[in-house]
Amino acid sequence: MEILQNILNFFSLNILQQPAFFVGLIVLIGYALLKKPVHEIFAGFVKATVGYMILNVGAGGLVSTFRPILVALRDKFNLNAAVIDPYFGLGAANAKLEEMGFIEVAATALLIGFFINILLVALRKVTKVRTLFITGHIMVQQAATISVFVLLLIPQFRNGYGALAVGIICGLYWAVSSNMTVEPTQRLTKNGGFAIGHQQQFAIWFVDKVAPFFGKKEDNLDDLKLPKFLNIFHDTVVASGTLMLFFFGAILLLLGPDMMANKDFGAAAYNPAKQAFFMYIIQTAFTFSVYLFVLMQGVRMFVGELTNAFQGISSKLLPGSFPAVDVAASYGFGSPNAVLFGFSIGLIGQLITIALLVIFKSPILIITGFVPVFFDNAAIAVYADKRGGWKAAVILSFISGVLQVALGALAVGLLGLTGGYHGNIDLVLPWLPFGYIFKYLGIAGYVLIALFLLLIPQLQYWKAKDKEAYYRGEVQLED
C-alpha cells in the first residue's frame, strides 16, 4: 500500500503538476497505441514536452513585459488593463490557477475532456454528437480558461474532483459546439466533410441562422475592392507587431517617461540614461510580438504531436466521425475579401468600444489582441457573406468586435484576471453567461449547463428533416 502511495505521489508531483511532462506523456501513450516505432514515440514525447516548455517561456515573457505597464496604469489611473487574446489569456488563466493552487488541473482536464468527446461520439446514436474536436492548441487554451471559470466560481469543486468537473464540461463544450458547425460548414464547403473546432462555434451557428435577415447572398464581398495595403496583415508578425505598437505606444505615451522610469516596476522599466523614450516604446511593443511569436512556436511544436496522437486514436476508434479542425480551414471556401474585410470591420467595432470604455471611465481597460480580432471576425465574415452577402458580413463582424471588448471587460472583472483574457467570441458568448450561472447557482448551475449542452444536439437532430443525412452531415446545397 505504501509503495502504491509513493508511486501516486511521484506521478502527481512530477507529471500531473508539470503540464509539459503531462502533455508529453499523452503524446507518448497516443503514439504507443498507434504502434509507432520506438524512435518516433520518443521524438514525439521530446517535441511535445519541449514545445510546452517554450510556451511557458513565451507566456512568462509576456507577463514580465506587461507587468510594468499594468502597475503604472493601476497607480496613475486605478485601471486594470487586459489584452483580449487567447495567448495572453492562457498566461493570465495559468497565473490565476497557480495562485489558487490548481495549476495542474488544466492539463488533466484536457485529457478527460478529450475522452468525454470520444465517448459522446461513440454513443452518437444516443447523444446525436458527430464531431471530434482535435485542434490541440485551442484545447490547451480553453482548458485553462474553463478551469478558472469552474474552480473560481464554484468553490465546492476546489478538491480532488475539480479536474473531473472541468474535464466533463470541457468535453461537452468541445463536442457539442463543434457539432453545431457541421451544417454551416458543409453548406460553405459544399459538403467538404469537416466541422470547426476553434473559438467561435456558437458564433458560426448563430451567423448561419441570422445572416439571411441582413442582406442578400448575391450581393457578396467578391464585388467589393479592398485597399491592397491591408495585405500586409496576412503576416502574423506584422499584424501583431503593428497592433501592439499602436495600442501599447498610445498607453506608454499617455503614462509618460517619468512614470515608466520607476525602478519599482522591475527590469522592464524605462531607463532614460540608456535609451530615448520613443525607442523604449518601439522596443516594448515589439517585445510583445517576440514573446507572442515564441509562445506560438511552442504551441505549434507540441500541438503537431498532440493532434497526430488524437487523430490516430480517433480514426481507429471512431470511423465515420467528423473532425473538428482549425477555423482557418474554412477560409479558402469563402470570398477572398472576407478574411481582411472581417478583420477590418471587427477592429473598428473593437476600437469604438474601447473608446467608450475610456469615456465612461470603466475600471477595466481592454487592449485588443490579434487572434480574436482576426480569426473570429474573419470567420464571421466568411460565413455571413455566404448566407447574407456583404451587408451581413459588415453588421455581424462589427457586432462581434463590440461584444469581444464589452463582454471581455465583464469577464475580466468576474474572474479577477490580471493582464489578459481569452477574448474570443465564444469565450464571452456563451461562456460569460455560463460563468454567472456558476457563480450564483453553484453545482446546480453546473448541472444545468451540462444538461443544456447535451440538449443542443438532440434539438439539432429533432429539427433535421432527413435523419440519416444528419449522421452523414449532408446538407442540400444552395445554387
Side-chain angles (χ1 to χ4, degrees):
M1 189 66 181
E2 186 177 346
I3 294 175
L4 179 61
Q5 185 65 43
N6 289 335
I7 292 173
L8 291 174
N9 287 339
F10 177 87
F11 184 78
S12 175
L13 183 64
N14 295 282
I15 305 296
L16 286 181
Q17 297 183 44
Q18 302 293 331
F21 288 104
F22 191 62
V23 169
L25 180 63
I26 293 172
V27 171
L28 187 151
I29 293 171
Y31 281 173
L33 291 173
L34 293 172
K35 299 181 180 179
K36 294 275 189 179
V38 173
H39 65 277
E40 289 188 22
I41 295 174
F42 176 73
F45 169 77
V46 171
K47 287 182 69 176
T49 306
V50 172
Y52 204 100
M53 289 178 172
I54 292 173
L55 179 153
N56 286 334
V57 171
L62 288 172
V63 171
S64 62
T65 307
F66 196 24
R67 185 176 292 114
I69 299 173
L70 283 177
V71 175
L73 284 168
R74 185 190 64 207
D75 289 355
K76 189 167 185 175
F77 301 109
N78 195 29
L79 282 174
N80 176 22
V83 181
I84 48 170
D85 184 277
Y87 294 103
F88 281 84
L90 177 62
N94 282 337
K96 192 70 175 181
L97 291 172
E98 189 166 9
E99 175 189 316
M100 296 170 64
F102 288 97
I103 186 61
E104 75 283 357
V105 164
T108 309
L110 187 153
L111 183 60
I112 294 170
F114 178 65
F115 283 108
I116 291 292
N117 194 167
I118 289 177
L119 180 64
L120 291 170
V121 178
L123 299 174
R124 58 185 173 274
K125 290 296 182 181
V126 176
T127 64
K128 314 306 180 191
V129 172
R130 304 157 289 179
T131 50
L132 187 67
F133 199 113
I134 57 172
T135 319
H137 65 296
I138 303 300
M139 297 166 76
V140 170
Q141 296 164 2
Q142 292 179 353
T145 300
I146 293 172
S147 293
V148 177
F149 268 104
V150 173
L151 298 180
L152 180 70
L153 301 176
I154 310 177
Q156 297 93 324
F157 284 138
R158 294 178 200 169
N159 49 43
Y161 297 104
L164 179 62
V166 176
I168 290 172
I169 209 73
C170 281
L172 287 172
Y173 169 69
W174 293 332
V176 171
S177 65
S178 58
N179 193 71
M180 293 168 69
T181 70
V182 171
E183 283 75 21
T185 305
Q186 290 290 82
R187 207 164 8 248
L188 175 72
T189 64
K190 298 182 179 179
N191 289 317
F194 66 89
I196 301 303
H198 204 253
Q199 317 265 26
Q200 46 295 110
Q201 293 85 254
F202 273 75
I204 286 171
W205 176 87
F206 179 77
V207 164
D208 183 72
K209 297 298 182 188
V210 305
F213 296 104
F214 291 103
K216 299 178 181 179
K217 63 181 181 180
E218 293 80 12
D219 300 330
N220 58 51
L221 286 168
D222 288 332
D223 299 327
L224 298 179
K225 301 298 180 183
L226 296 177
K228 289 186 177 180
F229 76 87
L230 288 175
N231 288 329
I232 66 170
F233 292 108
H234 277 306
D235 188 305
T236 303
V237 173
V238 174
S240 62
T242 303
L243 284 172
M244 294 301 103
L245 181 60
F246 178 80
F247 281 97
F248 286 107
I251 291 170
L252 288 169
L253 283 172
L254 187 64
L255 291 170
D258 292 339
M259 193 73 181
M260 295 311 301
N262 190 331
K263 293 297 184 289
D264 292 338
F265 293 168
Y270 169 56
N271 187 341
K274 293 184 177 181
Q275 195 175 33
F277 189 61
F278 79 93
M279 290 302 298
Y280 168 77
I281 291 174
I282 295 172
Q283 178 179 321
T284 302
F286 286 177
T287 298
F288 281 107
S289 294
V290 170
Y291 282 121
L292 188 62
F293 186 76
V294 169
L295 190 151
M296 293 171 70
Q297 287 298 110
V299 167
R300 290 190 187 104
M301 273 186 67
F302 80 80
V303 163
E305 305 303 321
L306 195 63
T307 300
N308 287 337
F310 281 2
Q311 281 183 309
I313 294 169
S314 67
S315 65
K316 285 181 173 292
L317 297 178
L318 302 168
S321 61
F322 276 79
V325 300
D326 195 299
V327 73
S330 68
Y331 293 170
F333 297 92
S335 165
N337 290 328
V339 173
L340 288 178
F341 192 84
F343 164 76
S344 303
I345 299 300
L347 179 60
I348 292 170
Q350 284 201 2
L351 294 178
I352 291 173
T353 313
I354 290 170
L356 291 174
L357 291 180
V358 174
I359 291 170
F360 289 102
K361 298 181 180 180
S362 166
I364 296 171
L365 175 65
I366 292 297
I367 300 169
T368 196
F370 171 70
V371 173
V373 77
F374 187 84
F375 285 95
D376 284 3
N377 301 319
I380 286 170
V382 167
Y383 282 87
D385 181 58
K386 176 69 175 179
R387 298 278 280 157
W390 70 267
K391 291 181 181 178
V394 168
I395 294 168
L396 294 171
S397 297
F398 181 83
I399 291 173
S400 174
V402 171
L403 293 177
Q404 287 163 338
V405 171
L407 300 185
L410 289 177
V412 171
L414 175 66
L415 300 178
L417 297 175
T418 301
Y421 179 63
H422 208 101
N424 288 97
I425 190 67
D426 265 21
L427 270 293
V428 293
L429 281 175
W431 274 101
L432 182 61
F434 287 178
Y436 281 108
I437 292 171
F438 290 163
K439 179 178 180 180
Y440 293 111
L441 297 182
I443 292 178
Y446 176 93
V447 173
L448 283 174
I449 296 304
L451 292 174
F452 168 72
L453 291 172
L454 286 169
L455 180 62
I456 290 174
Q458 300 295 333
L459 294 174
Q460 287 181 273
Y461 179 76
W462 177 68
K463 292 189 68 175
K465 295 179 180 178
D466 186 335
K467 306 304 184 186
E468 290 303 317
Y470 173 85
Y471 286 114
R472 296 193 301 270
E474 295 176 358
V475 297
Q476 184 175 356
L477 299 178
E478 301 168 351
D479 295 332

